[in-house]
Amino acid sequence: MTYRLDAPELASTGLTRIVLEEIDAAAAECAESAIAASADPHLELRRLVHESRKRCKRVRGALRLYRDALPAYAAENARFRDAARKLGDLRDAQVAVETFQLLLGEPPAPEREGWRPFADALTERRDRAYAEQAGGRLFDFAGELAAARPGAAAWTLAPEVLDAVGGGFERGYRAARRAWRKVREDPTTERLHEWRKQVKYHWYHVQLLQGAWSGLVLREQRLDRLGTLLGA
C-alpha cells in the first residue's frame, strides 16, 4: 500500500485506489484481535485512535487534490471529517498528557514538582476515557468507513481530471501561503493551528504526486519538518 500516485493513475483509478486502501487499512487496524493481542492494550488503543484519525486526514487530502473533478466531493469530505471527529476528544485527552509531560520535563525540575498532581489527573482522565469509550468508538468508526467503501469504489471523475489535479495542488499551496501570512500578521494559537492544517494538506498533496513528479522529494521532507514544528 502506497500513498502515492503514478503518472498513469492521475486521470483514472488513482484516487479510488488510495481511498480504498486507507479504508481497508483502518478497518484491519481496528479489528479487536489486534488490540487483544497487544502486550499493552491501552497503548494500542491510543495508537489506533491516532492512526485512524490520520487515515481520514489522508483521505481528505486526496479528495482535496481531486475536488474539482469529483462531483461528490462535499458530501464525501464531510463523511470522513465527521468520522474522524468521533475520535477527536479521545485524541485530545492523549495530547493533553503528552503536552503537559513535555512542559513538566522528565525528570521534572525541582520547581515544577508541585505540578505533578495535575499531570496525574490528566493521565487518569485519559485512561478512564479510553477504558470506557475507545473500543466502542473504534468499532463504530470502522463501521462508518465500511459503509463509505461502496460509494468510494463507484466514484466517477470529470473528464478534465488532470486540470483538476493541477488546480487542487495550486489551491492547497495558496491556502498554506495565506495561512502563513496571517500568522506573520498576528501569531495567535488559532492562526498557527490553521497554518499547520493547511501545511499538512499541502504535504499530503506532495506525497501523492511524488510518483509523477520527481522534484518533490526535498519539498516533502521540508513540509514534514514544518508540520512537526508547528505541531510542537
Side-chain angles (χ1 to χ4, degrees), residues 4-230:
R4 184 172 299 180
L5 295 160
D6 295 326
E9 284 188 302
L10 287 175
S12 56
T13 61
L15 174 64
T16 299
R17 176 185 66 79
I18 290 289
V19 172
L20 293 183
E21 286 180 350
E22 294 294 331
I23 289 175
D24 292 343
E29 289 170 353
C30 289
E32 186 176 354
S33 58
I35 299 171
S38 172
D40 186 343
H42 293 291
L43 179 62
E44 181 66 8
L45 283 170
R46 295 197 294 272
R47 186 192 72 80
L48 287 175
V49 166
H50 183 43
E51 290 300 318
S52 296
R53 283 172 51 80
K54 281 173 58 177
R55 291 203 180 279
C56 280
K57 291 177 181 178
R58 284 152 66 96
V59 167
R60 294 180 66 203
L63 290 175
R64 284 176 177 239
L65 187 64
Y66 280 85
R67 66 184 297 175
D68 291 338
L70 182 65
Y73 167 78
E76 297 297 341
N77 181 62
R79 180 199 292 267
F80 288 98
R81 178 201 64 205
D82 293 345
R85 282 180 176 174
K86 295 182 186 302
L87 302 173
D89 59 334
L90 291 173
R91 177 59 184 161
D92 288 346
Q94 170 63 12
V95 171
V97 171
E98 294 173 354
T99 303
F100 202 91
Q101 288 175 341
L102 180 66
L103 294 172
L104 196 62
E106 188 58 45
E111 65 272 16
R112 296 178 181 171
E113 274 293 344
W115 292 98
R116 187 175 289 279
F118 291 91
D120 292 342
L122 288 172
T123 301
E124 290 173 8
R125 185 187 70 166
R126 177 204 66 190
D127 291 348
R128 184 168 59 252
Y130 273 81
E132 295 175 354
Q133 303 175 36
R137 297 269 198 99
L138 285 167
F139 181 81
D140 292 343
F141 171 83
E144 290 196 27
L145 292 195
R149 198 185 193 286
W155 285 339
T156 300
L157 299 176
E160 306 82 11
V161 60
L162 288 178
D163 289 339
V165 168
F169 186 85
E170 181 178 357
R171 180 188 288 111
Y173 179 54
R174 288 183 181 275
R177 294 270 300 182
R178 282 195 302 271
W180 167 62
R181 286 194 294 269
K182 289 183 178 180
V183 166
R184 293 185 65 187
E185 295 168 0
D186 186 13
T188 64
T189 300
E190 291 77 10
R191 290 187 174 191
L192 282 163
H193 177 62
E194 181 62 24
W195 185 23
R196 179 174 181 266
K197 281 171 51 180
Q198 298 304 331
V199 166
K200 285 284 189 179
Y201 281 126
H202 183 50
W203 178 53
Y204 291 141
H205 292 173
V206 168
Q207 286 182 298
L208 286 167
L209 292 177
Q210 275 192 60
W213 186 0
S214 60
L216 291 177
V217 175
L218 181 58
R219 187 180 193 87
E220 189 274 334
Q221 295 171 353
R222 289 174 171 173
L223 287 167
D224 188 16
R225 175 63 175 157
L226 176 57
T228 299
L229 291 171
L230 290 173

